[in-house]
């Protein structure tokens, strides 16, 4: 910046005036008073003009920084394209109505560095009286374009509460904005991959072309497989000789639907860990989500077969598998309200990809799903599994790679919920099955929700320990407890966002996208 050179000249001129005034004591009192006022007015005028120069410099610096970041975000662009982009952003941030116009920007590009300098001429107001008509103001900046790889997983709430107040559309618009900022004009970004985890109380992992049945407990050997269809002795109800019920066999028996792809939580501690599925341990594999046909009365939410058998008690009726192959089946898999064995199962995850259009399409296809509740712990855990290099999904690079920044963005509009019911199930079916099965060591819905929140907090710490940058967002939520939990979950406090409306949510995603460009103003 060059505003200090004219300041020195100004000081010298004022000093000269004061010196001459001190030496020359002749003249009347009026003359002496007039001469004494001149240096004081000049000094005051210098303060006014210098304050304007400082203001011009601050505005110039802001415009230059914006131009540098915009130009640096361009991938595989020519020097001319970089220069044109920088000029456009500079002028947008330093309009003609500003002081110090016209201003000029110079841009030079060398390898991964962009050098920018801007100059403005400020017409003085007071100092012109001592011969200083203009003050030259200049700033310089150097932007280093880092070619670091970025992997981003968006873990987004698709529960029924997102259907209200335009929340789902706001979330989709904000996520789309983030993707557009990160990708820019690139259809396939060479240094960027983005994945998506839509979650309710379970997550759908059946992504075509990626999913592998080897991840699944196909033989019904996992600890919780089929527990809704066994009696107290662990026998297959009404037919003990056939062994435990296999959910895949039940889906085969149902005439007009297939397993959509949601899974139950694995037994503790694998439920919230990135343990790879192994043939040597069935509990490391996933049990397919199968919401049983529930009785038609008594506070149940998912009656989808006209039960043909004798009138046993409701618990026995639900356990009986003989009617699954008989029907008739009344199944609806169109959200928001669904019915059947895949009830409340969202769209499948999208593993890490550099295909911008595919990411945008999947964001647009998300829909809220009523019933079952909210489980951020399982949603976040699947975010971890998608960004991990180990099975089941292997699209992520290695952890602690200095050339790759791994990122998870977790958003919810509410606290964790296990939907309780006053019947033998004690709850809706969910990622942890029914409360009656005590997989969370309780049949109380509030205690169960608290345990899910604690599991989420544990996953946050596990993920951050792997050098994954974690951003958390609460949306249209007024709950101090969950707000504090999400604040603590984020990598840093500035990575936590409380978005009370759609515009704030968009701003949060824009801030995250800008942060993830990984550009550095080095000078």
């Amino acid at each position: 910046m060059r505003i200090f050179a004219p300041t020195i000249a100004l000081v010298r001129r004022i000093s000269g005036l004061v010196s001459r005034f001190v030496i020359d004591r002749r003249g009347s009192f009026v003359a002496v008073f007039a001469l004494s006022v001149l240096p004081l007015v000049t000094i005051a005028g210098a303060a006014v003009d210098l304050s304007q120069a400082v203001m011009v410099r601050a505005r110039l610096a802001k415009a230059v920084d914006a131009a540098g970041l915009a130009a640096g975000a361009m991938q595989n662009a020519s020097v001319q394209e970089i220069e044109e982009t920088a000029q456009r952003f500079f002028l947008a941030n330093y309009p003609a109505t500003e002081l110090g116009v016209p201003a000029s920007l110079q841009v030079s590009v060398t390898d991964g560095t962009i050098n920018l300098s801007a100059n403005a001429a400020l017409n003085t107001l007071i100092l012109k009286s001592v011969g200083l008509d203009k003050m030259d103001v200049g700033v310089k900046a150097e932007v280093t374009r880092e070619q670091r790889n970025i992997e981003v997983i968006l873990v987004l709430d698709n529960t029924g509460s997102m259907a209200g107040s335009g929340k789902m559309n706001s979330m989709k618009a904000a996520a789309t904005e983030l993707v557009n900022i990160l990708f820019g004009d690139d259809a396939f970004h060479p240094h960027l991959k983005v994945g998506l985890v839509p979650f309710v109380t379970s997550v759908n992992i059946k992504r075509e072309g990626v999913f592998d049945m080897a991840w699944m407990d196909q033989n019904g050997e996992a600890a919780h497989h089929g527990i809704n269809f066994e009696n107290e002795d662990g026998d297959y109800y009404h037919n003990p000789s056939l062994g435990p019920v296999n959910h895949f066999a039940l889906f085969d028996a149902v005439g007009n639907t297939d397993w959509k792809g949601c899974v139950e939580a694995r037994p503790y501690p694998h439920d919230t860990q990135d343990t790879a599925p192994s043939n040597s341990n069935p509990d490391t594999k996933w049990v397919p989500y199968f919401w049983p046909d529930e009785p038609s009365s008594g506070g149940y939410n998912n009656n989808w077969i006209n039960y043909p058998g004798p009138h046993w008690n409701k618990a026995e009726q639900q356990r009986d598998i003989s009617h699954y192959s008989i029907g008739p089946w009344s199944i609806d898999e169109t959200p928001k309200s669904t019915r059947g064995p895949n009830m409340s199962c969202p769209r499948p995850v999208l593993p890490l990809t550099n295909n911008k259009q595919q990411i945008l399409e999947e964001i647009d296809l998300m829909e809220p799903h009523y019933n079952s509740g909210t489980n951020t712990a399982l949603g976040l855990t699947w975010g971890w599994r998608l960004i991990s290099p180990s099975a089941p999904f292997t699209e992520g690079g290695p952890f602690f790679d200095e050339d790759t920044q791994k990122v998870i963005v977790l958003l919810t509009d509410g606290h964790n919920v296990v939907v309780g019911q006053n019947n033998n199930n004690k709850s809706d079916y969910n990622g942890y099955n029914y409360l009656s099965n005590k997989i969370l060591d309780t049949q109380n819905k509030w205690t169960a929700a608290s345990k899910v929140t604690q599991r989420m907090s544990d996953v946050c710490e596990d993920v951050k320990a792997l050098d994954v940058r974690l951003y958390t967002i609460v949306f249209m939520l007024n709950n101090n407890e969950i707000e504090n939990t999400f604040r603590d979950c984020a990598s840093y406090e500035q990575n936590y966002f409380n978005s009370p409306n759609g515009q704030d949510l968009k701003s949060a995603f824009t801030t995250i996208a800008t942060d993830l460009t990984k550009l550095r103003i080095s000078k």
Side-chain angles (χ1 to χ4, degrees):
M1 177 181 172
R2 294 194 296 278
I3 65 173
F4 296 105
T7 303
I8 295 172
L10 170 64
V11 171
R12 287 175 178 170
R13 292 193 185 194
I14 295 174
S15 297
L17 287 171
V18 174
S19 298
R20 289 196 297 275
F21 168 70
V22 172
I23 293 171
D24 190 354
R25 300 177 181 176
R26 295 170 297 172
S28 66
F29 172 78
V30 174
V32 171
F33 177 76
L35 288 173
S36 66
V37 169
L38 180 59
L40 296 175
V41 171
T42 305
I43 293 172
V48 172
D49 286 331
L50 285 174
S51 66
Q52 287 194 330
V54 170
M55 186 183 302
V56 169
R57 185 187 186 280
R59 290 171 175 170
L60 270 180
K62 180 180 178 181
V64 168
D65 287 351
L69 289 173
M74 301 177 68
Q75 299 291 332
N76 305 317
S78 67
V79 172
Q80 181 180 351
E81 289 171 331
I82 291 174
E83 292 175 347
E84 290 174 351
T85 298
Q87 291 287 351
R88 185 170 67 254
F89 273 78
F90 175 77
L91 293 175
N93 286 275
Y94 200 89
T97 56
E98 298 287 2
L99 288 171
V101 173
S104 59
L105 177 71
Q106 291 77 45
V107 182
S108 64
V109 182
T110 305
D111 297 326
T113 301
I114 302 174
N115 291 290
L116 308 97
S117 62
N119 302 282
L122 174 65
N123 294 324
T124 60
L125 299 174
I126 307 299
L127 294 180
K128 64 176 63 177
S129 63
V130 293
L132 290 176
D133 297 330
K134 292 181 181 295
M135 298 179 69
D136 293 327
V137 181
V139 295
K140 293 182 178 180
E142 180 183 278
V143 175
T144 301
R145 296 193 298 167
E146 297 182 5
Q147 296 299 313
R148 198 178 189 192
N149 298 318
I150 305 175
E151 297 176 355
V152 184
I153 299 294
L154 305 178
V155 181
L156 305 178
D157 192 334
N158 278 213
T159 58
S161 58
M162 289 294 291
S165 304
K167 287 188 280 189
M168 178 60 76
N169 287 338
S170 293
M171 182 179 71
K172 292 198 287 188
T176 296
E177 180 74 5
L178 177 141
V179 172
N180 283 330
I181 291 173
L182 290 178
F183 275 85
D185 295 330
D186 291 322
F188 298 88
H189 200 296
H191 300 287
L192 172 67
K193 291 182 179 180
V194 177
L196 185 65
V197 178
F199 71 91
V200 183
T201 58
S202 183
V203 172
N204 184 339
I205 67 172
K206 196 178 178 182
R207 168 60 58 177
E208 185 177 354
V210 180
F211 171 75
D212 192 334
M213 278 295 291
W215 307 341
M216 304 300 297
D217 177 36
Q218 300 178 61
N219 299 320
E221 298 172 335
H224 301 152
H225 201 146
I227 57 175
N228 294 317
F229 308 97
E230 299 171 0
N231 63 22
E232 293 179 355
D233 296 325
D235 295 326
Y236 183 78
Y237 211 79
H238 295 307
N239 222 330
S241 63
L242 297 180
V245 174
N246 188 315
H247 288 188
F248 285 115
L250 290 180
F251 271 107
D252 289 340
V254 176
N256 59 349
T257 192
D258 295 317
W259 173 57
K260 186 176 178 181
C262 281
V263 291
E264 294 185 0
R266 297 186 295 189
Y268 180 84
H270 304 297
D271 56 335
T272 52
Q273 291 184 352
D274 186 34
T275 314
S278 170
N279 290 331
S280 63
N281 185 355
D283 282 350
T284 63
K285 295 192 174 187
W286 283 275
V287 174
Y289 180 102
F290 186 95
W291 194 322
D293 169 50
E294 298 175 341
S296 58
S297 62
Y300 298 88
N301 274 336
N302 195 18
N303 172 246
W304 49 279
I305 300 178
N306 185 13
Y307 185 73
H311 295 287
W312 304 325
N313 66 55
K314 288 182 170 59
E316 292 176 329
Q317 178 181 326
Q318 184 175 292
R319 286 181 176 275
D320 178 27
I321 65 147
S322 63
H323 67 299
Y324 283 100
S325 60
I326 299 174
W329 310 280
S330 177
I331 295 174
D332 184 357
E333 296 186 353
T334 303
K336 313 177 182 63
S337 296
T338 55
R339 184 174 59 254
N342 293 308
M343 184 175 179
S344 302
C345 177
R347 286 189 60 78
V349 299
L350 177 66
L352 286 167
T353 177
N354 70 341
N355 185 330
K356 178 183 178 182
Q357 188 59 36
Q358 185 182 19
I359 299 164
L360 293 177
E361 288 176 356
E362 284 299 321
I363 290 173
D364 186 58
L365 289 170
M366 290 190 305
E367 293 288 348
H369 287 70
Y370 292 141
N371 301 109
S372 194
T374 305
N375 195 310
T376 56
L378 296 181
L380 181 58
T381 302
W382 279 107
W384 175 9
R385 291 166 184 155
L386 259 68
I387 210 167
S388 166
S390 61
F393 295 96
T394 58
E395 290 75 17
F399 291 112
F400 303 109
D401 179 5
E402 62 180 15
D403 294 326
T404 301
Q405 176 65 67
K406 290 178 175 286
V407 178
I408 295 178
V409 181
L410 172 64
L411 178 147
T412 189
D413 74 326
H415 50 79
N416 288 300
V417 174
V418 176
V419 179
Q421 298 293 352
N422 188 25
N423 54 43
N424 59 283
N425 293 329
K426 306 301 182 183
S427 72
D428 277 2
Y429 179 77
N430 59 76
Y432 281 101
N433 211 293
Y434 289 118
L435 279 179
S436 59
N437 292 316
K438 297 184 180 180
I439 292 175
L440 288 169
D441 299 321
T442 182
Q443 290 188 345
N444 182 282
K445 65 179 182 179
W446 306 111
T447 303
S450 179
K451 286 177 176 287
V452 170
T453 299
Q454 182 57 56
R455 277 166 161 79
M456 186 202 86
S457 296
D458 292 343
V459 176
C460 293
E461 298 307 312
D462 291 340
V463 167
K464 289 186 289 189
L466 293 169
D467 199 30
V468 176
R469 183 180 298 183
L470 189 53
Y471 294 87
T472 60
I473 304 172
V474 293
F475 184 33
M476 294 191 188
L477 176 66
N478 185 18
N479 183 295
N480 289 333
E481 181 180 357
I482 197 66
E483 289 170 18
N484 290 335
T485 300
F486 267 63
R487 183 182 292 107
D488 294 340
C489 178
S491 294
Y492 307 98
E493 186 168 355
Q494 62 268 29
N495 289 5
Y496 161 76
F497 299 88
N498 187 344
S499 304
N501 56 58
Q503 186 57 45
D504 287 335
L505 181 65
K506 184 176 181 180
S507 177
F509 272 87
T510 300
T511 299
I512 293 170
T514 302
D515 190 22
L516 294 182
T517 59
K518 299 305 295 178
L519 299 173
R520 178 168 55 89
I521 301 177
S522 48
K523 293 182 182 178

